[in-house]
Every structure is written in C-alpha cells, then in structure tokens.
Amino acid sequence: MDIIKRNSKTAFNYILAILKWIAVSAVVGAVGGAVGVAFHISVEKVTELRTEHEWIVFLLPVGGLAIAGLYKLLKMEKLGTDNVIESIRTEKSVPFLLAPLIFVSTVITHLFGGSAGREGAALQLGGSIGAQVGRIVRFDEKDMHLATLCGMSAVFSALFGTPLTAALFALEVISVGVVYYSGIIPCLTASLVAFKIALLCKVPPVRFSIGEITPLGFSSLWRVVVLSALCAALSIGFCLIMNFSHKGSAKLIKNPFLRAFVGGALVIVLTLIFGRDYNGAGMNIIENAMNGQAQPFAFLLKIVFTAVTIGFGFKGGEIVPTFFIGSTFGCVVGSLLGLDPGFAAAIGLVSLFCGAVNCPIASIFLSIELFGSGGIIYFAVACAVSFALSGYFGLYSSQKILYSKTRAEFINILTAQELK
C-alpha cells in the first residue's frame, strides 16, 4: 500500500507540474505571439515605407543616434541576446524594459535601412516577456529559466512561423551538447500558441518552394557534403567578422553616439556603391536565391553590410542575414558543383545557420518547416557536416559548448570569438 501511495503521489505531482507549465506557457505564448505579430507588422510597414521613399536611408546616422540615446537613457548599453542566453544558466535576470527597447530600436534599424534580421529582437523580446511572467507568478530561479525559454520560443515562432524549430532552438542554443528536456512541453506549448495567434492575425509563415529534389544518390550527396563544408568555413568567417566589427569599432570609436553615426554613414556609402539589395532583412533576395538567381558576390556584401550595421551599434539580429548569406552562397557555389541552384540555396541556408548557431537538431527541423520533408536526408547530412566542421565558433559569445564535437568528452567552453 505504501508503494502505491508513493507512486500515486508522484504521478499526481507530475500531472500538476505539467498542467502548471501548460497554463503558464500558454499565457507566455499568447503574450509573445501578440508582441511578435505587432513586431512583424511594424518591421514590414517601415520596410515598405523605406522602399517607397528611398531617401530615408540617408537618415540612418540619425537613427543610430536615436538608438544610442535610448540605450544610454535606460542604462542598457551592454545588454543584448547574449545576456538572455546567459540568464538561463545564472541568477542574472532579464530586465523587462529590454523588450520595448529592442522592439523600438530594431524597427528604427529597419526603417532607415540597416542590414539586420529580426530574431535578435525575437529572443530578447521573448526572453523579457517570459521572465516577466515568471516574476508575476513568483517562480523560483529554475522555473524562471524555463519561463525565459518559453518566451524565446514564442516570439521566434510568431515571427517565422516555425513552431518546432523555435521550441528546439531555444532548448538547444544555450548549452551545445545538452538539451533542456524539461522545457519540451513548456516551450512547445508556448511556440504553438504563438504560432496560432500569428496565423489568426494573418501573419504568413516563412516558407520556400525549391521545386523537385533529386532522388538520393552518391552523385548528389558528395556535392551536398562539399557545399556544407564550405558553408561551415563561411560560418566561421562570418562569426569572426561580426566579432571583429563589434570589438574593433568599440575600440576605435569609444563614444557610442559617434560610433552609431559613423556606422550609419558607412552603410550609406556602401548603399550608394553596391545598391539597396543589402539594406534591411533582404527576404526578397533570399526568395530569388530559392528560384536559382543570385549575384556572385551577394553573400560577401551582405556580410559587410551586416557587420557594419550591428557592429557599430544598430540593433536587430544575425540569423536572417545568415539565411541571406547561406542561400546566395549556396545558389552560386552549388551550381558550380553541379547542384540545382534553388536546391543548393536551401542547403546553403540551413547549413550556414547550423554552423553559426551550433544547433543541428533545430536546423534539421528548420529545413522541414521551410522546405518540406522531401530532402530531409540531404539536409540532415548538411547539418551534420556543417556542425562538425564549424568548430567551436558561434554568433553568441555566451553560448557554451559543453561536449566536444569530435569525441565523447566534456569540455565546457564558451564559443570562440576569435582565432587562437
């Protein structure tokens, strides 16, 4: 009888815990979904405005001053995505004001033509929302970490329309080699609720058509392996350049206002020389790459535009730029390898994303949600190769590599930000 009582009590506690997290994560998902929809619409509207009035890009330095001023006013100059990631492993909290601050500053960046994505804002918005809900319900430290992960999943899901990727990315990105399995139900619930809200608000999920995929065979497989290896090398280069731009600009120009102004001016010069394809997120260029059309050096120019924009103090994210860089690189190089250009663009997008964020499982699910399951073997191979060959580099300096990529060994190091 005692065993039955103990087991019954254990089962009851498990059920209560699951119900608690479903309720809380649904709330986080609803709030995150609504904020994500508002953020998506805001970025789309300012992008349309900039496209209709091309002269707006000349005000980018003024936008940089506004962003620097906001962060200075709220005393959050050093806060960003890395702080959200770090809060999952430590007692540090995510300030609630980070949510409206990153919302406004990212919209400013897109309005005036800075080269940035949206997911940096998504992770910071979501992390701040999840942490605030955790405070309201008086969670302890461990539960606060899961609430933060829920928020990250929710806003990411609402923005990209990839609920499975959003949930797995949040669980996988914190500590490479260890997945926070306790967060599967909370993150998935928050992600699905946010996704549903986005659909109800008629925010279309990001999807691409890449046509018919070549049946699995050695001839195509080795080409995918080579392309993925090249994408891994490119992901290392991208991470190094982003870090160099951030540290180099801060060392060269210590005043954040002057740094943002100079960065905006540099982007204007680059725009006048190379055109407007590299301003904003560039989703139209990614779409073109999926249709087999990409300029030979588009991926290099996007790296430069993004490094200057984010490195000099503008806000946004690096993941959509990785989509741009990976898809255009894959389209050009894949066609030289004999692959279909559109299919190669898809391989490039997923493998570069994987190499930059060190999240192979989330990357595989990303390929399914973006392109369908027809080429799952190719994408899985691409992610495996890119993950292994990208070493211990990454976009997020607070991301930890807990286990070696080459052997069963606990290493517990932060992602490398420079060559040793």
Side-chain angles (χ1 to χ4, degrees):
M1 289 297 293
D2 289 339
I3 294 177
I4 295 175
K5 286 181 180 179
R6 285 198 299 270
N7 288 338
S8 299
K9 185 176 180 179
T10 300
F12 181 71
N13 289 336
Y14 268 90
I15 293 171
L16 280 182
I18 290 173
L19 291 177
K20 176 192 77 174
W21 275 112
I22 289 176
V24 172
S25 57
V27 172
V28 173
V31 177
V35 172
V37 167
F39 181 65
H40 172 86
I41 293 173
S42 298
V43 171
E44 290 294 312
K45 292 298 182 183
V46 298
T47 300
E48 291 174 6
L49 183 62
R50 188 188 74 243
T51 303
E52 293 171 1
H53 305 283
E54 295 185 346
W55 57 266
I56 289 179
V57 73
F58 294 105
L59 297 177
L60 186 59
V62 178
L65 292 176
I67 292 172
L70 287 171
Y71 274 79
K72 185 76 172 178
L73 179 65
L74 297 176
K75 299 179 180 179
M76 294 190 181
E77 297 98 319
K78 297 182 179 181
L79 294 183
T81 304
D82 279 314
N83 299 92
V84 177
I85 292 175
E86 188 178 5
S87 73
I88 307 299
R89 293 193 304 265
T90 66
E91 296 181 3
K92 295 181 180 179
S93 60
V94 181
F96 178 68
L97 284 178
L98 185 62
L101 184 58
I102 190 63
F103 188 115
V104 173
S105 57
T106 302
V107 170
I108 291 174
T109 297
H110 282 269
L111 171 62
F112 295 114
S115 175
R118 299 169 292 182
E119 86 300 326
L123 298 181
Q124 293 176 49
L125 276 168
S128 181
I129 291 168
Q132 184 61 24
V133 172
R135 293 188 192 102
I136 291 173
V137 298
R138 299 185 178 182
F139 275 164
D140 61 20
E141 179 189 334
K142 302 300 182 184
D143 283 350
M144 281 289 289
H145 294 167
L146 288 186
T148 303
L149 290 175
C150 286
M152 293 166 63
S153 301
V155 182
F156 193 108
S157 176
L159 283 178
F160 292 99
T162 54
L164 296 179
T165 303
L168 288 168
F169 178 74
L171 297 173
E172 198 176 9
V173 73
I174 309 301
S175 302
V176 178
V178 172
V179 177
Y180 290 77
Y181 288 112
S182 59
I184 289 179
I185 288 179
C187 287
L188 189 57
T189 301
S191 183
L192 290 171
V193 170
F195 177 58
K196 184 62 176 179
I197 288 176
L199 291 179
L200 290 174
C201 294
K202 301 188 184 305
V203 173
V206 178
R207 297 290 184 269
F208 298 106
S209 175
I210 54 175
E212 186 176 351
I213 297 175
T214 305
L216 184 64
F218 179 76
S219 177
S220 298
L221 197 58
W222 77 261
R223 291 176 169 85
V224 168
V225 169
V226 171
L227 178 57
S228 304
L230 294 174
C231 285
L234 184 59
S235 74
I236 294 173
F238 180 52
C239 293
L240 291 174
I241 290 171
M242 292 298 297
N243 180 62
F244 175 79
S245 177
H246 178 73
K247 289 186 176 179
S249 64
K251 186 175 181 180
L252 185 65
I253 308 174
K254 299 186 182 301
N255 187 297
F257 292 91
L258 180 59
R259 185 163 64 247
F261 189 90
V262 171
L266 288 175
V267 172
I268 291 174
V269 173
L270 290 170
T271 301
L272 292 173
I273 297 173
F274 299 107
R276 300 174 185 273
D277 285 347
Y278 311 98
N279 300 117
M283 293 299 291
N284 59 318
I285 306 300
I286 299 173
E287 185 75 43
N288 291 340
M290 297 303 159
N291 293 325
Q293 302 172 1
Q295 296 297 319
F297 300 105
F299 67 96
L300 288 176
L301 290 172
K302 189 62 174 178
I303 291 175
V304 173
F305 271 73
T306 305
V308 172
T309 298
I310 297 179
F312 279 73
F314 289 85
K315 303 301 176 180
E318 301 92 345
I319 289 181
V320 173
T322 66
F323 289 179
F324 185 118
I325 296 162
S327 61
T328 52
F329 178 79
C331 182
V332 172
V333 176
S335 61
L336 296 177
L337 291 171
L339 292 169
D340 175 79
F343 171 64
I347 292 291
L349 183 154
V350 172
S351 55
L352 190 72
F353 170 79
C354 181
V357 300
N358 295 298
C359 297
I361 306 303
S363 299
I364 293 172
F365 275 86
L366 177 69
S367 73
I368 297 172
E369 293 188 304
L370 292 184
F371 309 112
S373 60
I376 182 62
I377 300 298
Y378 287 119
F379 287 112
V381 169
C383 291
V385 171
S386 182
F387 175 73
L389 297 183
S390 61
Y392 302 125
F393 297 88
L395 285 175
Y396 308 119
S397 61
S398 61
Q399 183 184 51
K400 276 204 170 185
I401 311 287
L402 292 182
Y403 283 88
S404 168
K405 291 187 178 184
T406 58
R407 56 188 300 180
E409 180 183 9
F410 182 75
I411 56 175
N412 191 23
I413 61 172
L414 291 172
T415 50
Q417 295 293 303
E418 56 188 23
L419 289 171
K420 301 298 183 183

